Amino acid sequence: MLEALGLSATDESVYLTMIAHPTLDVAGLAARLHIGQSQVHHALDALAGLALIRLDGPGGVARAVRPQTGLAALLTKVEADIAVRQRQIETVRTTIADLAMTHEQQEVVIRLEGIEAVRERLAELARTATTECLSFTPGGAQPADTLQSEAPLNAAALERTVRIRNVYQDSFRNDPATLAHARRMAALGSESRTAPTMPMRLVIVDRSIALTPIDPRQPRLGALELRSPGIVAGLLALFEQVWQQGTPFGHRPGTPSTTPGAQERALLRLFAAGHTDESAARQLGVSARSVQRLMNSLTDRLQANSRFQAGVEAARRGWI
């Protein structure tokens, strides 16, 4: 239990026994724990080094320091050491990223041969992404190994608040495994839309790096990693155009969602700013009942179960 604080199992047993039976001497501790006296002496030396025991009286009798004092102080020291170590790790991480960027900036186009090289590079980019990952996923059913490899990477990126937006082809809705994967990612915060056709497979990371297939007809042959600002800007524009025209995940393709009117958009902005029904009604010049009716209508059209969920969905659709 106390191994994280630097105590061995024997050290811990001796310390806990000293707390429960403070009158036991070395021989008594050895007998009670069924270990040798030399092991007790070794444990006492370790406990003394950790300031968990003290010597009392003229004979220097060892006494256990109260847990709320000794262990709390030791925990504070361990936490400080962990914080220092974490800062060192972050410094190393930054150094690695800087070295990688210096090396990669020497080439505007990098050729990644084979699907494994592409996956390895995507894993690196997923771990270092800081703001956004965008992608096109053409075709219907995705290979199982592809879904398995990208799921944990996407989850880790989402935990770091990296925004993930993906456009699938409509036909993916017919594949249970790909559909289940999209739903899992959506539950974690990933945003998805679908489109009837897809220009090509594409990944854009932090709006500065783009990966496209060497041959769009055979994506497993490998990919080109593009860093030219002009090329990446063009691919970004292409993505945004397809994204805006795509069907949000959760809606059926071909079933347009009703967009809000000016008054409804204003109401959404007011609620996003923290207004109550009453203050929003004053701002809009309507009754509180009218505000409730408008919000109920919006919630129904957004297929939301609460106002909070409606606000999230409205923001995702670009209504606010």
Side-chain angles (χ1 to χ4, degrees):
M1 182 176 61
L2 301 179
E3 183 179 358
L5 299 181
L7 279 72
S8 69
T10 302
D11 299 340
E12 179 179 341
S13 297
V14 171
Y15 177 65
L16 296 178
T17 304
M18 291 178 70
I19 292 174
H21 306 280
T23 61
L24 291 179
D25 57 9
V26 171
L29 290 168
R32 189 166 192 87
L33 295 172
H34 306 291
I35 59 176
Q37 292 189 24
S38 62
Q39 291 177 278
V40 175
H41 282 296
H42 187 273
L44 291 174
D45 289 340
L47 293 172
L50 295 172
L52 292 177
I53 63 172
R54 65 177 187 276
L55 299 179
D56 287 346
V61 179
R63 294 284 184 262
V65 176
R66 295 188 310 161
Q68 55 266 49
T69 301
L71 290 179
L74 190 57
L75 178 60
T76 299
K77 180 180 181 301
V78 170
E79 288 175 335
D81 292 341
I82 291 174
V84 171
R85 183 61 175 164
Q86 187 62 41
R87 288 195 295 270
Q88 292 172 340
I89 291 173
E90 291 303 320
T91 299
V92 172
R93 191 191 308 277
T94 301
T95 301
I96 292 173
D98 290 342
L99 289 173
M101 183 175 296
T102 300
H103 171 72
E104 291 164 355
Q105 284 178 345
Q106 297 174 0
E107 297 183 80
V108 175
V109 179
I110 301 173
R111 189 180 177 95
L112 303 171
E113 298 286 353
I115 190 64
E116 291 306 321
V118 175
R119 286 177 179 164
E120 181 179 343
R121 183 56 181 145
L122 286 174
E124 293 174 355
L125 292 173
R127 286 191 290 266
T128 58
T130 58
T131 57
E132 188 176 46
C133 292
L134 313 174
S135 60
F136 285 155
T137 304
Q142 298 300 304
D145 54 352
T146 298
L147 298 179
Q148 291 170 1
S149 63
E150 74 174 39
L153 297 172
N154 287 350
L158 289 166
E159 287 181 0
R160 300 196 313 274
T161 68
V162 175
R163 186 184 185 190
I164 295 180
R165 289 190 289 158
N166 184 52
V167 182
Y168 290 95
Q169 200 157 350
D170 283 343
S171 54
F172 101 100
R173 297 172 183 267
N174 299 321
D175 177 61
T178 308
L179 189 60
H181 170 76
R183 285 173 174 159
R184 286 194 299 270
M185 291 299 100
L188 294 175
S190 176
E191 303 171 60
S192 298
R193 296 188 179 186
T194 63
T197 60
M198 198 71 59
M200 59 182 165
R201 192 172 295 273
L202 172 68
V203 175
I204 304 175
V205 178
D206 290 341
R207 297 182 169 259
S208 59
I209 301 172
L211 269 65
T212 62
I214 294 174
D215 183 348
R217 296 167 299 180
Q218 302 182 68
R220 300 182 76 87
L221 291 179
L224 298 176
E225 181 176 330
L226 309 172
R227 292 175 171 271
S228 168
I231 296 175
V232 175
L235 293 173
L236 276 168
L238 174 63
F239 177 88
E240 295 295 351
Q241 181 181 22
V242 176
W243 176 263
Q244 291 300 325
Q245 296 174 354
T247 301
F249 184 62
H251 291 271
R252 293 190 303 274
T255 303
S257 58
T258 304
T259 57
Q263 187 181 53
E264 291 173 322
R265 287 182 184 272
L267 177 60
L268 287 169
R269 287 195 294 270
L270 288 170
F271 277 132
H275 286 264
T276 63
D277 285 8
E278 291 72 18
S279 61
R282 286 195 298 270
Q283 292 287 331
L284 295 174
V286 298
S287 67
R289 182 172 296 179
S290 295
V291 166
Q292 293 170 359
R293 186 175 64 253
L294 286 170
M295 197 60 208
N296 288 339
S297 174
L298 285 167
T299 301
D300 290 340
R301 283 149 56 195
L302 290 165
Q303 298 181 333
N305 297 320
S306 66
R307 287 189 177 185
F308 175 80
Q309 187 179 358
V312 172
E313 179 64 15
R316 189 180 71 80
R317 297 190 191 185
W319 288 8
I320 54 175

